[in-house]
Amino acid sequence: MTSTTESEHHADRRVQLVDRVVIRFAGDSGDGIQVTGDQFTTESAIFGNDLSTLPNFPAEIRAPAGTLAGVSAFQVHISDHDILTPGDAPNVLVAMNPAALRANVGDLPVGGTAVVNSDAFDERALEKAGYGSNPLTDGSLKGFRVYEVPMTSLTLEACKPSGAKARDAERSKNFFALGLVAWLYQRPTAVTENWIAKRYGKNPVVVEANTLAFRAGYHFGETAELFESVYEVPAAQHEPGTYTNITGNTAVAWGLLAAAELGKVPLFLGSYPITPASDILHELSKHKNFGVRTLQAEDEIAGVGAALGAAFGGALGVTTTSGPGVDLKAETIGLAVSLELPLLIVDIQRGGPSTGLPTKTEQADLLHAMFGRHGEAPVPIVAAKTPSHCFDAAIEAVRIALKYRTPVFLLSDGYLANGSEPWKVPSVSDLPDISTTFAPAADGEQPFLPYARDPETLARPWALPGTPGLEHRIGGLEKADRTGEVSYDPVNHEKMVHLRAARIAGIAKDIPAVEVDDPSGEARVLLLGWGSTYGAIAAATRRVRADGRRVAHVHLVHLNPFPANLGEVVRRYDRVIVPEGNLGQLTRLVRADFLVDARALTKVQGTPFTVTEIEQAVSDALAELDEPAGQAEEESR
Amino acid sequence: MTEVAVPVTTRKDWASDQDVRWCPGCGDYSILAAVQFLLPELGVRRESTVFVSGIGCAARFPYYMNTYGMHSIHGRAPAIATGLAISRPDLDVWVISGDGDALSIGGNHLIHALRRNVNLTILLFNNQIYGLTKGQYSPTSEVGKVTKSTPFGSLDTPFNPVSLALGAEASFVARTHDMDRKHMQEMFRRAHDHRGAALVEVYQNCNVFNDGAFEAVTGRASREEMVIPLEHGQPIRFGADGHRGLIMNDRGQLEIAEVADVGEDAILVHDETREDPGLAFALSRIATGPHQPTPMGVFRAVERPDYGSLVDSQLLEAQARKGAGDLQSLLRSGTSWTVG
């Protein structure tokens, strides 16, 4: 819960200290809401808060202005302590127009604060948003603290000295809102002013207008006496180090650059633009000075095909996509299974089936990654659990691909991709060596055996074209053991199917055992999660324990193969709850593999789990197990 | 690394130990022989030569070559080869494909490899039929083709592979046929030596499912009157003693004329290096199918930077401008702050 303490502000205004706050900015998709949210996030990060963000925007680039379909939002959770989620519900909603208010006010708890741009509440805008009457006057917002601020007119007035035309000046109103909220939460202003100067430096009028609007918003808060208090969210205690705020997609891109360096292989990205994965292609394309070759292919199939071709030549071949792209790549991934070459498929999951919800998050591609190919075609799966963890997960996925000569799936999702959190920048010298070896040249006297295997890993040699004496042919037809020649022999086929399966299953020996978060060791309920549910599950776990009850948490990063001890762990608990953003995909795998009565807690609303939803599921399970609140010993957070 | 002379090789050095499993009498044998005879003459190394194929009868080709090779999946060879050629500019990458593989399921990849001008030598074995799936019509089959899947005749207008390649901005396009090994070798040599994407359409007889499809043009008896040889800088003439030739008529269209009727000066002189592909396209339309006099040879050969070189020069440019990538600085390149 949010705790507050009060003190006197120097301008006769109360300063309330709060330990955390959740703010949601909402407006038209053309209003610059994502920029506003990003900037508030940066201010807070530099101030030293812990934070977590949740952008939420429509699939349409510019849906008709003022409509519910066009509302874009950005939620940021800042705190003075370690937090794990962007917050279940906003404490403060900043609504730039009636549609933004209408689309978001339902999430605002009673007593919450709404700051609205009152200039936008004219009859036409109300009608477009589907309001029969003006919510600012009809009493429907009773129960909220509503601050009406004429942001548009104040912005226009403030921007006059810049010489910006009224239409352009009006576009600065998001910076007015940002200034106002920056004042309300006592954020440092220099960060944003410097950013505006840098970002819009090519256009001095825009720099001037945005800066004036930002300052006007800040000063409005100070002088208007509308707000009875300002709030302070003190800096969080972070361990010493250099931090940066990072999104999941940037972390994947940087993780790939790091993995190529650590693996001592050139990076090749074959990709086709798709939401929400395109930013990885964009980011990697910026860094050609690292020697990364990026190909925007003609389609998803060519993207993965080119990556596989590059892998045959000794590159770290990577393709980045989302669900619909994975559908198209399936055949090539199957070929990579047969060729036994390293390949990384990054799937930034989104709502499906088909085009589904392109900009909304979901975790429903797990079984697709697991089984989405014809024949027996096992592929290892690694899943990132937080935005910054995408960096480590990318390196781990590449490690497995290089070492075991196999395609590997890296699963992220829209929530991780666009969400951000502070990340302690690692020292490159602390990152693992994941380099591999290539087959050495031969004199050609002995026939080269492209499918002879390393007895430990069962991986075959990576023999690069250009190496004398290793000329060989590989392909999608079944190959004879060791020689790699085409073979239709039934016994050989069975042997090869088993060898491919054993090679992937054997990776279990090479990944860490699952860590069980169960401080007392006496919990009866286990929350088993994977991927982006990490934050909500961990936060729910804290809440349950703060309430004096017990629950354990295991979070899987490796989904195929499972860590070797997983079966033993899940069998220890009376109840295994699997929260996942699908209809129970991990649940099925766990039930099938371990014959335990794992139960899915599902959510497919295009949004992440709230902490409350998971806490409730644990409470229900505990009640069923006859373990009501207060029975277990108090545990510290 | 010091340059070591390319070892002298013979055809046998380039043949793998695998039994060739095409149907006896298949045109693919003579294409394979042409390639295996040619490679020792090209001054290239076995280890630096890669054959990439898709699916189909032609796609078995890499198994028979003692080089690196990949028999991939249907239609995707140009995409896979693109990744290999871009990331390994030191390699000689060949793509072996057929009319179904290259023009039907893989049409998209073919046109994009051509327009990008990826450094690939693409041999398109055109037999106007699906052989490996036992005789369905293909995207180059003539209209009305009766096959198992079209018992009442096919309805689809066929592609002309040369026209398609020219339309896709190909910098090198040629045609040859499986009955003339010398001509094949010459076309393959030219294609190989071309920097960028080179496509050679090879009329190839499928003696099981579409026997004699090209006989009217490529048969020994008919060849002289039915093959229009394209030779750079030479008047386009064919037939006994070159009695026929190509002229451009009053309507700006190419047509076949008797040289005696129009005079030698009226005969079009072939120029494969024309920047404008219009005339090459017109040449490709002279025959509506392999039953009319058909041009063989290089339709177009123009210089254009190949894609891999452009990619590499961007890398070098980026390094010159920003310095070699430094991972640690990258990780700190965002807005960062220090605690403690």
Side-chain angles (χ1 to χ4, degrees), chain B residues 5-296:
Chain B
V6 176
V8 175
T9 56
T10 65
R11 178 192 177 185
K12 268 168 69 180
D13 296 309
W14 292 85
S16 75
D17 59 358
Q18 299 296 298
D19 295 331
V20 183
R21 296 192 197 173
W22 288 312
C23 307
C26 176
D28 289 355
Y29 283 94
S30 65
I31 305 175
L32 177 66
V35 172
Q36 288 175 343
F37 275 115
L38 172 68
L39 283 162
E41 297 175 14
L42 291 180
V44 293
R45 295 168 186 279
R46 285 196 300 116
E47 68 266 23
S48 301
T49 303
V50 187
F51 284 87
V52 181
S53 65
I55 293 292
C57 294
R60 300 298 176 97
F61 194 100
Y63 288 122
Y64 309 135
M65 297 300 299
N66 190 10
T67 63
Y68 284 88
M70 188 197 291
H71 176 217
S72 74
I73 44 177
H74 208 9
R76 316 304 169 201
I80 291 168
T82 291
L84 181 61
I86 295 175
S87 57
R88 290 291 305 278
D90 57 311
L91 300 175
D92 239 351
V93 184
W94 298 67
V95 171
I96 306 295
S97 193
D99 40 314
D101 191 54
L103 301 176
S104 195
I105 194 166
N108 199 29
H109 308 306
L110 179 73
I111 58 175
H112 288 276
L114 293 175
R115 79 166 166 101
R116 289 193 182 106
N117 207 30
V118 182
N119 195 26
L120 301 172
T121 308
I122 306 168
L123 308 187
L124 195 170
F125 299 12
N126 180 10
N127 57 16
Q128 302 191 340
I129 200 79
Y130 280 80
L132 197 66
T133 50
K134 300 184 179 170
Q136 301 81 10
Y137 77 113
S138 91
T140 55
S141 296
E142 67 276 14
V143 175
K145 184 86 173 170
V146 175
T147 70
K148 282 179 209 159
S149 61
T150 51
F152 301 102
S154 64
L155 303 171
D156 320 23
T157 297
F159 271 136
N160 175 328
V162 171
S163 302
L164 183 81
L166 290 166
E169 306 291 346
S171 58
F172 182 100
V173 186
R175 180 189 285 140
T176 185
H177 64 91
D178 61 3
M179 299 288 283
D180 187 344
R181 190 202 294 163
K182 207 171 139 232
H183 190 261
M184 276 193 284
Q185 280 181 222
E186 183 53 26
M187 291 303 104
F188 298 165
R189 179 202 308 277
R190 288 284 314 277
H192 170 268
D193 292 349
H194 178 76
R195 187 86 199 161
L199 180 123
V200 184
E201 179 193 14
V202 189
Y203 279 0
Q204 173 247 320
N205 190 44
C206 172
N207 59 320
V208 174
F209 294 107
N210 202 17
D211 195 24
F214 305 101
E215 185 67 20
V217 173
T218 64
R220 277 184 209 291
S222 45
R223 211 179 292 172
E224 189 174 30
E225 292 297 326
M226 292 295 277
V227 168
I228 307 176
L230 299 178
E231 284 170 47
H232 181 63
Q234 298 296 316
I236 307 173
R237 295 174 65 163
F238 65 104
D241 300 325
H243 69 96
R244 303 170 85 187
L246 292 190
I247 61 162
M248 184 172 285
N249 66 23
D250 301 345
R251 300 184 307 281
Q253 292 167 327
L254 293 189
E255 68 176 50
I256 294 168
E258 287 294 326
V259 177
D261 296 345
V262 296
E264 284 191 12
D265 291 349
I267 304 300
L268 198 69
V269 174
H270 183 49
D271 180 1
E272 62 193 30
T273 64
R274 273 173 200 274
E275 209 39 57
D276 181 349
L279 207 55
F281 188 83
L283 271 175
S284 75
R285 314 299 291 178
I286 276 287
T288 59
H291 48 84
Q292 290 171 321
T294 299
M296 294 279 170

Side-chain angles (χ1 to χ4, degrees), chain A residues 489-560:
Chain A
D489 179 74
V491 175
N492 175 75
H493 175 58
E494 182 153 49
K495 182 172 188 187
M496 292 299 281
V497 168
H498 281 292
L499 275 170
R500 286 187 286 262
R503 182 168 111 267
I504 302 309
I507 296 169
K509 293 180 294 205
D510 191 24
I511 58 178
V514 289
E515 282 177 36
V516 185
D517 173 24
D518 183 5
S520 69
E522 287 172 14
R524 295 172 69 194
V525 174
L526 171 67
L527 287 167
L528 175 63
W530 68 281
S532 66
T533 52
Y534 174 79
I537 296 176
T541 302
R542 284 182 187 173
R543 276 201 207 166
V544 170
R545 290 178 190 159
D547 194 29
R549 296 174 293 169
R550 294 186 181 114
V551 66
H553 178 196
V554 163
H555 214 80
L556 293 175
V557 171
H558 297 89
L559 278 307
N560 190 37

Side-chain angles (χ1 to χ4, degrees), chain A residues 243 293 428 465-467 473, chain B residues 47 67-68 88 312 328 337:
Chain A
Y243 287 78
R293 291 180 171 88
V428 170
T467 316
R473 277 65 56 192
Chain B
E47 68 266 23
T67 63
Y68 284 88
R88 290 291 305 278
D312 280 353
Q328 192 69 67
W337 63 98

Side-chain angles (χ1 to χ4, degrees), chain A residues 29-45:
Chain A
S29 44
D31 274 350
I33 292 302
Q34 302 300 320
V35 168
T36 310
D38 268 339
Q39 266 319 109
F40 187 81
T41 302
T42 305
E43 290 171 359
S44 301

Side-chain angles (χ1 to χ4, degrees), chain A residues 28-32 58-65 69-70 171:
Chain A
D28 249 342
S29 44
D31 274 350
E60 292 73 21
I61 303 302
R62 294 275 163 92
R171 295 177 60 188

Side-chain angles (χ1 to χ4, degrees), chain A residues 412-428:
Chain A
S412 169
D413 59 36
Y415 170 40
L416 297 181
N418 295 313
S420 67
E421 64 180 352
W423 177 49
K424 188 179 166 193
V425 177
S427 172
V428 170

